[in-house]
Amino acid sequence: RVELDKDKVKRIVKHIKQDYHHNWIIDNLPSASIMRDISGTEKKHFSGGFPIGFVDRKSKDPYIFNHVNIQLDYHQPDPNVKAYRVVGFSVEPVSVAHKFSAGYEWDGKEEGGFTKPLETCKKDTAMKLDKVKKSQIVADKQKILFTYDVVWKESPVAWSSRWDVYLSEGHLVPPQVHWYSITNSILVVLFLSLLVITILVRNLRRDIDSYNALSVLADEEANEDEDESGWKLVHADVFRPPQTMPMLYCVFIGSGSQLGLTILLSIIFSAVGFLNPSRRGSLVNAMISFYMLCGIVAGYISSRLYKAFRGRLWQLCTVLTAILFPGLAFFIF
């Protein structure tokens, strides 16, 4: 039981209008939300949790969800063994203005209030949304009671397949959609790559034709025109070290290679199946481990590039590669 004051009302209304959601987890399964659309049709969503309240379309009054129907789906792997596993978790939020039987008023502290029956919430049956007579409004001096019901439902879904509904949004999203997205991304990359290659080949052919034309001219004319245009203008700049802060440039190259290799390894291990969403936190732990191990590659690349620039303080370059990016990230975040 919570009694609202002006500060609490202001904070709750703000969060309701900003569409704040609850995100609950049971046995590493995020909660699916059971909501109803304008027509009253029941919809189940498997991402984003469930909202803390809603705003009435007509009166614009804020209401809070103070009751939840928790539905747990369980599966029995072996009929001969009394052991069950949770394979589904969904929550239906309900807003109801609770009322005690026989006009009882609870101050929220008396022990007897926990056992007093409610007219709006029965012990033996779960609350139905169509049985709610009055929703719980968010206003000053309102006394809100928070309640819940738990409904157990047997399911034929095996424990190894319990994440399938989260990927398909309850079979609303067909598997072909993911293949369409992957195919579209590959085609866009191929098209842009071909476009860049076409432009480079065209410019290269034009320069080669100009060089072939110079070979026909006299030696003096060729020497005069040779330095005017073309790829030969930049051939000496390809391996020229930067004039300012070459060490910082090498540090950025090493840190970038470290991040890129970390992301690549995370994607590979996730695709193979070593990083499973059912093991909560495994992806973060794996990325941290990969990042630490890839520090060896980053130090080698940065120091090797710095020595190619004829730098002498390659030890300092290696140390900066190890502490610059993590230090900035730690300082900012």
Side-chain angles (χ1 to χ4, degrees), residues 4 9-10 12-17 52-57 59-65 95 135-140 142 144:
L4 300 181
V9 169
K10 184 178 180 181
I12 295 175
V13 171
K14 175 184 176 182
H15 291 165
I16 291 176
K17 291 183 178 180
I52 65 174
F54 66 96
V55 177
D56 188 80
R57 294 178 178 272
S59 62
K60 304 300 180 181
D61 292 329
Y63 294 88
I64 189 172
F65 290 126
S95 179
S135 299
Q136 179 61 60
I137 192 172
V138 178
D140 190 20
Q142 284 289 320
I144 302 178

PDB file of all heavy atoms in Angstrom, residues 4 9-10 12-17 52-57 59-65 95 135-140 142 144:
ATOM      1  N   LEU A   4      -0.113   8.407  -2.049  1.00  0.00           N
ATOM      2  CA  LEU A   4       0.563   9.350  -2.918  1.00  0.00           C
ATOM      3  C   LEU A   4       0.496  10.766  -2.360  1.00  0.00           C
ATOM      4  O   LEU A   4      -0.515  11.162  -1.762  1.00  0.00           O
ATOM      5  CB  LEU A   4      -0.071   9.328  -4.316  1.00  0.00           C
ATOM      6  CG  LEU A   4      -0.052   7.993  -5.070  1.00  0.00           C
ATOM      7  CD1 LEU A   4      -0.692   8.151  -6.443  1.00  0.00           C
ATOM      8  CD2 LEU A   4       1.361   7.447  -5.194  1.00  0.00           C
ATOM      9  N   VAL A   9       3.080  11.886  -7.160  1.00  0.00           N
ATOM     10  CA  VAL A   9       2.170  11.989  -8.311  1.00  0.00           C
ATOM     11  C   VAL A   9       2.882  12.603  -9.508  1.00  0.00           C
ATOM     12  O   VAL A   9       2.778  12.114 -10.644  1.00  0.00           O
ATOM     13  CB  VAL A   9       0.926  12.823  -7.928  1.00  0.00           C
ATOM     14  CG1 VAL A   9       0.108  13.156  -9.175  1.00  0.00           C
ATOM     15  CG2 VAL A   9       0.080  12.067  -6.917  1.00  0.00           C
ATOM     16  N   LYS A  10       3.638  13.641  -9.266  1.00  0.00           N
ATOM     17  CA  LYS A  10       4.364  14.300 -10.348  1.00  0.00           C
ATOM     18  C   LYS A  10       5.371  13.359 -10.990  1.00  0.00           C
ATOM     19  O   LYS A  10       5.500  13.308 -12.224  1.00  0.00           O
ATOM     20  CB  LYS A  10       5.064  15.546  -9.800  1.00  0.00           C
ATOM     21  CG  LYS A  10       5.769  16.367 -10.859  1.00  0.00           C
ATOM     22  CD  LYS A  10       6.405  17.610 -10.239  1.00  0.00           C
ATOM     23  CE  LYS A  10       7.129  18.437 -11.302  1.00  0.00           C
ATOM     24  NZ  LYS A  10       7.763  19.650 -10.696  1.00  0.00           N
ATOM     25  N   ILE A  12       5.371   9.956 -10.927  1.00  0.00           N
ATOM     26  CA  ILE A  12       4.713   8.829 -11.599  1.00  0.00           C
ATOM     27  C   ILE A  12       4.090   9.261 -12.907  1.00  0.00           C
ATOM     28  O   ILE A  12       4.204   8.574 -13.932  1.00  0.00           O
ATOM     29  CB  ILE A  12       3.660   8.200 -10.657  1.00  0.00           C
ATOM     30  CG1 ILE A  12       4.340   7.572  -9.442  1.00  0.00           C
ATOM     31  CG2 ILE A  12       2.834   7.167 -11.398  1.00  0.00           C
ATOM     32  CD1 ILE A  12       3.368   7.042  -8.406  1.00  0.00           C
ATOM     33  N   VAL A  13       3.422  10.408 -12.905  1.00  0.00           N
ATOM     34  CA  VAL A  13       2.797  10.908 -14.138  1.00  0.00           C
ATOM     35  C   VAL A  13       3.854  11.173 -15.207  1.00  0.00           C
ATOM     36  O   VAL A  13       3.663  10.866 -16.396  1.00  0.00           O
ATOM     37  CB  VAL A  13       1.980  12.184 -13.842  1.00  0.00           C
ATOM     38  CG1 VAL A  13       1.509  12.830 -15.137  1.00  0.00           C
ATOM     39  CG2 VAL A  13       0.788  11.849 -12.959  1.00  0.00           C
ATOM     40  N   LYS A  14       4.973  11.705 -14.803  1.00  0.00           N
ATOM     41  CA  LYS A  14       6.066  11.961 -15.742  1.00  0.00           C
ATOM     42  C   LYS A  14       6.559  10.659 -16.375  1.00  0.00           C
ATOM     43  O   LYS A  14       6.757  10.571 -17.590  1.00  0.00           O
ATOM     44  CB  LYS A  14       7.209  12.672 -15.024  1.00  0.00           C
ATOM     45  CG  LYS A  14       8.443  12.886 -15.885  1.00  0.00           C
ATOM     46  CD  LYS A  14       9.573  13.503 -15.078  1.00  0.00           C
ATOM     47  CE  LYS A  14      10.840  13.631 -15.913  1.00  0.00           C
ATOM     48  NZ  LYS A  14      11.972  14.190 -15.122  1.00  0.00           N
ATOM     49  N   HIS A  15       6.727   9.629 -15.570  1.00  0.00           N
ATOM     50  CA  HIS A  15       7.217   8.347 -16.078  1.00  0.00           C
ATOM     51  C   HIS A  15       6.173   7.661 -16.952  1.00  0.00           C
ATOM     52  O   HIS A  15       6.521   6.995 -17.931  1.00  0.00           O
ATOM     53  CB  HIS A  15       7.615   7.450 -14.911  1.00  0.00           C
ATOM     54  CG  HIS A  15       8.831   7.930 -14.190  1.00  0.00           C
ATOM     55  ND1 HIS A  15       9.205   7.458 -12.942  1.00  0.00           N
ATOM     56  CD2 HIS A  15       9.764   8.861 -14.527  1.00  0.00           C
ATOM     57  CE1 HIS A  15      10.313   8.068 -12.548  1.00  0.00           C
ATOM     58  NE2 HIS A  15      10.661   8.924 -13.496  1.00  0.00           N
ATOM     59  N   ILE A  16       4.900   7.815 -16.611  1.00  0.00           N
ATOM     60  CA  ILE A  16       3.849   7.224 -17.448  1.00  0.00           C
ATOM     61  C   ILE A  16       3.814   7.891 -18.819  1.00  0.00           C
ATOM     62  O   ILE A  16       3.730   7.215 -19.859  1.00  0.00           O
ATOM     63  CB  ILE A  16       2.483   7.330 -16.751  1.00  0.00           C
ATOM     64  CG1 ILE A  16       2.438   6.416 -15.519  1.00  0.00           C
ATOM     65  CG2 ILE A  16       1.356   6.967 -17.706  1.00  0.00           C
ATOM     66  CD1 ILE A  16       1.164   6.532 -14.721  1.00  0.00           C
ATOM     67  N   LYS A  17       3.895   9.210 -18.845  1.00  0.00           N
ATOM     68  CA  LYS A  17       3.852   9.922 -20.124  1.00  0.00           C
ATOM     69  C   LYS A  17       5.100   9.678 -20.957  1.00  0.00           C
ATOM     70  O   LYS A  17       5.045   9.734 -22.194  1.00  0.00           O
ATOM     71  CB  LYS A  17       3.677  11.423 -19.866  1.00  0.00           C
ATOM     72  CG  LYS A  17       2.304  11.783 -19.318  1.00  0.00           C
ATOM     73  CD  LYS A  17       2.150  13.286 -19.144  1.00  0.00           C
ATOM     74  CE  LYS A  17       0.748  13.646 -18.643  1.00  0.00           C
ATOM     75  NZ  LYS A  17       0.586  15.121 -18.458  1.00  0.00           N
ATOM     76  N   ILE A  52       4.228   0.954 -17.046  1.00  0.00           N
ATOM     77  CA  ILE A  52       3.855   1.142 -15.640  1.00  0.00           C
ATOM     78  C   ILE A  52       2.465   1.750 -15.511  1.00  0.00           C
ATOM     79  O   ILE A  52       1.891   1.750 -14.417  1.00  0.00           O
ATOM     80  CB  ILE A  52       4.876   2.039 -14.916  1.00  0.00           C
ATOM     81  CG1 ILE A  52       4.866   3.447 -15.505  1.00  0.00           C
ATOM     82  CG2 ILE A  52       6.267   1.448 -14.993  1.00  0.00           C
ATOM     83  CD1 ILE A  52       5.743   4.418 -14.752  1.00  0.00           C
ATOM     84  N   GLY A  53       1.910   2.259 -16.589  1.00  0.00           N
ATOM     85  CA  GLY A  53       0.585   2.856 -16.548  1.00  0.00           C
ATOM     86  C   GLY A  53       0.166   3.332 -17.920  1.00  0.00           C
ATOM     87  O   GLY A  53       0.818   3.050 -18.930  1.00  0.00           O
ATOM     88  N   PHE A  54      -0.918   4.084 -17.962  1.00  0.00           N
ATOM     89  CA  PHE A  54      -1.426   4.591 -19.241  1.00  0.00           C
ATOM     90  C   PHE A  54      -2.176   5.892 -18.990  1.00  0.00           C
ATOM     91  O   PHE A  54      -2.523   6.227 -17.849  1.00  0.00           O
ATOM     92  CB  PHE A  54      -2.349   3.564 -19.915  1.00  0.00           C
ATOM     93  CG  PHE A  54      -3.632   3.294 -19.170  1.00  0.00           C
ATOM     94  CD1 PHE A  54      -4.812   3.962 -19.503  1.00  0.00           C
ATOM     95  CD2 PHE A  54      -3.663   2.379 -18.121  1.00  0.00           C
ATOM     96  CE1 PHE A  54      -5.983   3.710 -18.817  1.00  0.00           C
ATOM     97  CE2 PHE A  54      -4.825   2.129 -17.425  1.00  0.00           C
ATOM     98  CZ  PHE A  54      -6.000   2.797 -17.776  1.00  0.00           C
ATOM     99  N   VAL A  55      -2.421   6.609 -20.067  1.00  0.00           N
ATOM    100  CA  VAL A  55      -3.178   7.862 -20.024  1.00  0.00           C
ATOM    101  C   VAL A  55      -4.466   7.665 -20.802  1.00  0.00           C
ATOM    102  O   VAL A  55      -4.436   7.223 -21.961  1.00  0.00           O
ATOM    103  CB  VAL A  55      -2.366   9.033 -20.604  1.00  0.00           C
ATOM    104  CG1 VAL A  55      -3.196  10.317 -20.610  1.00  0.00           C
ATOM    105  CG2 VAL A  55      -1.080   9.236 -19.813  1.00  0.00           C
ATOM    106  N   ASP A  56      -5.595   7.962 -20.186  1.00  0.00           N
ATOM    107  CA  ASP A  56      -6.878   7.795 -20.846  1.00  0.00           C
ATOM    108  C   ASP A  56      -6.984   8.724 -22.057  1.00  0.00           C
ATOM    109  O   ASP A  56      -6.625   9.906 -21.986  1.00  0.00           O
ATOM    110  CB  ASP A  56      -8.017   8.075 -19.865  1.00  0.00           C
ATOM    111  CG  ASP A  56      -9.373   7.738 -20.438  1.00  0.00           C
ATOM    112  OD1 ASP A  56      -9.734   6.546 -20.447  1.00  0.00           O
ATOM    113  OD2 ASP A  56     -10.063   8.669 -20.894  1.00  0.00           O
ATOM    114  N   ARG A  57      -7.466   8.184 -23.165  1.00  0.00           N
ATOM    115  CA  ARG A  57      -7.521   8.960 -24.403  1.00  0.00           C
ATOM    116  C   ARG A  57      -8.518  10.115 -24.328  1.00  0.00           C
ATOM    117  O   ARG A  57      -8.307  11.165 -24.921  1.00  0.00           O
ATOM    118  CB  ARG A  57      -7.885   8.039 -25.576  1.00  0.00           C
ATOM    119  CG  ARG A  57      -6.822   6.987 -25.890  1.00  0.00           C
ATOM    120  CD  ARG A  57      -7.274   6.081 -27.013  1.00  0.00           C
ATOM    121  NE  ARG A  57      -6.258   5.098 -27.352  1.00  0.00           N
ATOM    122  CZ  ARG A  57      -5.298   5.307 -28.233  1.00  0.00           C
ATOM    123  NH1 ARG A  57      -5.231   6.459 -28.883  1.00  0.00           N
ATOM    124  NH2 ARG A  57      -4.408   4.363 -28.489  1.00  0.00           N
ATOM    125  N   SER A  59     -10.284  11.461 -21.209  1.00  0.00           N
ATOM    126  CA  SER A  59     -10.149  12.380 -20.075  1.00  0.00           C
ATOM    127  C   SER A  59      -8.720  12.866 -19.852  1.00  0.00           C
ATOM    128  O   SER A  59      -8.507  13.815 -19.106  1.00  0.00           O
ATOM    129  CB  SER A  59     -10.644  11.691 -18.801  1.00  0.00           C
ATOM    130  OG  SER A  59      -9.841  10.552 -18.515  1.00  0.00           O
ATOM    131  N   LYS A  60      -7.734  12.193 -20.476  1.00  0.00           N
ATOM    132  CA  LYS A  60      -6.303  12.519 -20.306  1.00  0.00           C
ATOM    133  C   LYS A  60      -5.819  12.328 -18.874  1.00  0.00           C
ATOM    134  O   LYS A  60      -4.775  12.873 -18.479  1.00  0.00           O
ATOM    135  CB  LYS A  60      -6.024  13.970 -20.746  1.00  0.00           C
ATOM    136  CG  LYS A  60      -6.443  14.295 -22.169  1.00  0.00           C
ATOM    137  CD  LYS A  60      -5.723  13.432 -23.178  1.00  0.00           C
ATOM    138  CE  LYS A  60      -6.134  13.764 -24.605  1.00  0.00           C
ATOM    139  NZ  LYS A  60      -5.467  12.910 -25.606  1.00  0.00           N
ATOM    140  N   ASP A  61      -6.556  11.514 -18.086  1.00  0.00           N
ATOM    141  CA  ASP A  61      -6.139  11.240 -16.717  1.00  0.00           C
ATOM    142  C   ASP A  61      -5.130  10.083 -16.714  1.00  0.00           C
ATOM    143  O   ASP A  61      -5.297   9.106 -17.460  1.00  0.00           O
ATOM    144  CB  ASP A  61      -7.350  10.869 -15.853  1.00  0.00           C
ATOM    145  CG  ASP A  61      -8.290  12.047 -15.644  1.00  0.00           C
ATOM    146  OD1 ASP A  61      -7.789  13.180 -15.623  1.00  0.00           O
ATOM    147  OD2 ASP A  61      -9.513  11.817 -15.517  1.00  0.00           O
ATOM    148  N   PRO A  62      -4.109  10.155 -15.854  1.00  0.00           N
ATOM    149  CA  PRO A  62      -3.128   9.058 -15.774  1.00  0.00           C
ATOM    150  C   PRO A  62      -3.616   7.954 -14.838  1.00  0.00           C
ATOM    151  O   PRO A  62      -4.185   8.216 -13.782  1.00  0.00           O
ATOM    152  CB  PRO A  62      -1.876   9.750 -15.223  1.00  0.00           C
ATOM    153  CG  PRO A  62      -2.411  10.879 -14.399  1.00  0.00           C
ATOM    154  CD  PRO A  62      -3.702  11.320 -15.040  1.00  0.00           C
ATOM    155  N   TYR A  63      -3.373   6.711 -15.229  1.00  0.00           N
ATOM    156  CA  TYR A  63      -3.719   5.547 -14.424  1.00  0.00           C
ATOM    157  C   TYR A  63      -2.483   4.651 -14.303  1.00  0.00           C
ATOM    158  O   TYR A  63      -1.662   4.583 -15.217  1.00  0.00           O
ATOM    159  CB  TYR A  63      -4.873   4.757 -15.049  1.00  0.00           C
ATOM    160  CG  TYR A  63      -6.186   5.510 -15.065  1.00  0.00           C
ATOM    161  CD1 TYR A  63      -6.506   6.348 -16.124  1.00  0.00           C
ATOM    162  CD2 TYR A  63      -7.089   5.388 -14.018  1.00  0.00           C
ATOM    163  CE1 TYR A  63      -7.702   7.052 -16.147  1.00  0.00           C
ATOM    164  CE2 TYR A  63      -8.301   6.079 -14.022  1.00  0.00           C
ATOM    165  CZ  TYR A  63      -8.594   6.914 -15.089  1.00  0.00           C
ATOM    166  OH  TYR A  63      -9.782   7.607 -15.100  1.00  0.00           O
ATOM    167  N   ILE A  64      -2.387   3.972 -13.172  1.00  0.00           N
ATOM    168  CA  ILE A  64      -1.236   3.122 -12.911  1.00  0.00           C
ATOM    169  C   ILE A  64      -1.667   1.660 -12.889  1.00  0.00           C
ATOM    170  O   ILE A  64      -2.786   1.329 -12.451  1.00  0.00           O
ATOM    171  CB  ILE A  64      -0.558   3.499 -11.571  1.00  0.00           C
ATOM    172  CG1 ILE A  64       0.777   2.764 -11.411  1.00  0.00           C
ATOM    173  CG2 ILE A  64      -1.472   3.225 -10.397  1.00  0.00           C
ATOM    174  CD1 ILE A  64       1.589   3.232 -10.223  1.00  0.00           C
ATOM    175  N   PHE A  65      -0.800   0.784 -13.381  1.00  0.00           N
ATOM    176  CA  PHE A  65      -1.038  -0.651 -13.311  1.00  0.00           C
ATOM    177  C   PHE A  65      -0.566  -1.144 -11.939  1.00  0.00           C
ATOM    178  O   PHE A  65       0.624  -1.275 -11.691  1.00  0.00           O
ATOM    179  CB  PHE A  65      -0.282  -1.378 -14.424  1.00  0.00           C
ATOM    180  CG  PHE A  65      -0.830  -1.127 -15.799  1.00  0.00           C
ATOM    181  CD1 PHE A  65      -0.012  -0.673 -16.812  1.00  0.00           C
ATOM    182  CD2 PHE A  65      -2.162  -1.355 -16.082  1.00  0.00           C
ATOM    183  CE1 PHE A  65      -0.509  -0.444 -18.088  1.00  0.00           C
ATOM    184  CE2 PHE A  65      -2.685  -1.126 -17.353  1.00  0.00           C
ATOM    185  CZ  PHE A  65      -1.859  -0.670 -18.355  1.00  0.00           C
ATOM    186  N   SER A  95      -5.030  -2.281 -14.158  1.00  0.00           N
ATOM    187  CA  SER A  95      -5.244  -1.130 -13.273  1.00  0.00           C
ATOM    188  C   SER A  95      -6.609  -1.267 -12.623  1.00  0.00           C
ATOM    189  O   SER A  95      -7.638  -1.321 -13.308  1.00  0.00           O
ATOM    190  CB  SER A  95      -5.172   0.178 -14.071  1.00  0.00           C
ATOM    191  OG  SER A  95      -5.408   1.290 -13.232  1.00  0.00           O
ATOM    192  N   SER A 135     -10.659   1.799 -12.614  1.00  0.00           N
ATOM    193  CA  SER A 135      -9.197   1.758 -12.673  1.00  0.00           C
ATOM    194  C   SER A 135      -8.603   2.671 -11.610  1.00  0.00           C
ATOM    195  O   SER A 135      -9.270   3.583 -11.104  1.00  0.00           O
ATOM    196  CB  SER A 135      -8.705   2.170 -14.064  1.00  0.00           C
ATOM    197  OG  SER A 135      -9.194   1.290 -15.050  1.00  0.00           O
ATOM    198  N   GLN A 136      -7.325   2.422 -11.300  1.00  0.00           N
ATOM    199  CA  GLN A 136      -6.640   3.181 -10.259  1.00  0.00           C
ATOM    200  C   GLN A 136      -6.024   4.448 -10.853  1.00  0.00           C
ATOM    201  O   GLN A 136      -5.066   4.388 -11.618  1.00  0.00           O
ATOM    202  CB  GLN A 136      -5.560   2.332  -9.595  1.00  0.00           C
ATOM    203  CG  GLN A 136      -4.777   3.051  -8.513  1.00  0.00           C
ATOM    204  CD  GLN A 136      -5.656   3.515  -7.366  1.00  0.00           C
ATOM    205  OE1 GLN A 136      -6.296   2.711  -6.705  1.00  0.00           O
ATOM    206  NE2 GLN A 136      -5.691   4.822  -7.132  1.00  0.00           N
ATOM    207  N   ILE A 137      -6.591   5.589 -10.501  1.00  0.00           N
ATOM    208  CA  ILE A 137      -6.092   6.865 -11.001  1.00  0.00           C
ATOM    209  C   ILE A 137      -4.902   7.325 -10.166  1.00  0.00           C
ATOM    210  O   ILE A 137      -4.764   6.961  -8.988  1.00  0.00           O
ATOM    211  CB  ILE A 137      -7.211   7.925 -10.989  1.00  0.00           C
ATOM    212  CG1 ILE A 137      -6.808   9.164 -11.777  1.00  0.00           C
ATOM    213  CG2 ILE A 137      -7.581   8.279  -9.558  1.00  0.00           C
ATOM    214  CD1 ILE A 137      -7.941  10.162 -11.969  1.00  0.00           C
ATOM    215  N   VAL A 138      -4.035   8.097 -10.790  1.00  0.00           N
ATOM    216  CA  VAL A 138      -2.877   8.665 -10.097  1.00  0.00           C
ATOM    217  C   VAL A 138      -3.223  10.102  -9.717  1.00  0.00           C
ATOM    218  O   VAL A 138      -3.307  10.980 -10.581  1.00  0.00           O
ATOM    219  CB  VAL A 138      -1.618   8.615 -10.977  1.00  0.00           C
ATOM    220  CG1 VAL A 138      -0.439   9.246 -10.247  1.00  0.00           C
ATOM    221  CG2 VAL A 138      -1.303   7.188 -11.382  1.00  0.00           C
ATOM    222  N   ALA A 139      -3.440  10.328  -8.427  1.00  0.00           N
ATOM    223  CA  ALA A 139      -3.817  11.659  -7.943  1.00  0.00           C
ATOM    224  C   ALA A 139      -3.356  11.796  -6.498  1.00  0.00           C
ATOM    225  O   ALA A 139      -3.017  10.811  -5.825  1.00  0.00           O
ATOM    226  CB  ALA A 139      -5.328  11.880  -8.060  1.00  0.00           C
ATOM    227  N   ASP A 140      -3.357  13.018  -6.036  1.00  0.00           N
ATOM    228  CA  ASP A 140      -2.919  13.308  -4.679  1.00  0.00           C
ATOM    229  C   ASP A 140      -3.868  12.672  -3.670  1.00  0.00           C
ATOM    230  O   ASP A 140      -5.087  12.606  -3.881  1.00  0.00           O
ATOM    231  CB  ASP A 140      -2.866  14.822  -4.479  1.00  0.00           C
ATOM    232  CG  ASP A 140      -2.175  15.197  -3.171  1.00  0.00           C
ATOM    233  OD1 ASP A 140      -1.436  14.345  -2.636  1.00  0.00           O
ATOM    234  OD2 ASP A 140      -2.370  16.330  -2.699  1.00  0.00           O
ATOM    235  N   GLN A 142      -4.297   9.638  -3.010  1.00  0.00           N
ATOM    236  CA  GLN A 142      -4.797   8.313  -3.382  1.00  0.00           C
ATOM    237  C   GLN A 142      -4.002   7.217  -2.667  1.00  0.00           C
ATOM    238  O   GLN A 142      -2.785   7.296  -2.561  1.00  0.00           O
ATOM    239  CB  GLN A 142      -4.688   8.117  -4.893  1.00  0.00           C
ATOM    240  CG  GLN A 142      -5.753   8.851  -5.697  1.00  0.00           C
ATOM    241  CD  GLN A 142      -7.127   8.231  -5.531  1.00  0.00           C
ATOM    242  OE1 GLN A 142      -7.276   7.018  -5.493  1.00  0.00           O
ATOM    243  NE2 GLN A 142      -8.139   9.090  -5.422  1.00  0.00           N
ATOM    244  N   ILE A 144      -2.943   3.455  -2.913  1.00  0.00           N
ATOM    245  CA  ILE A 144      -2.822   2.426  -3.950  1.00  0.00           C
ATOM    246  C   ILE A 144      -2.376   1.116  -3.322  1.00  0.00           C
ATOM    247  O   ILE A 144      -1.381   1.067  -2.585  1.00  0.00           O
ATOM    248  CB  ILE A 144      -1.826   2.856  -5.047  1.00  0.00           C
ATOM    249  CG1 ILE A 144      -2.269   4.175  -5.671  1.00  0.00           C
ATOM    250  CG2 ILE A 144      -1.714   1.784  -6.119  1.00  0.00           C
ATOM    251  CD1 ILE A 144      -1.326   4.697  -6.719  1.00  0.00           C
TER     252      ILE A 144
END
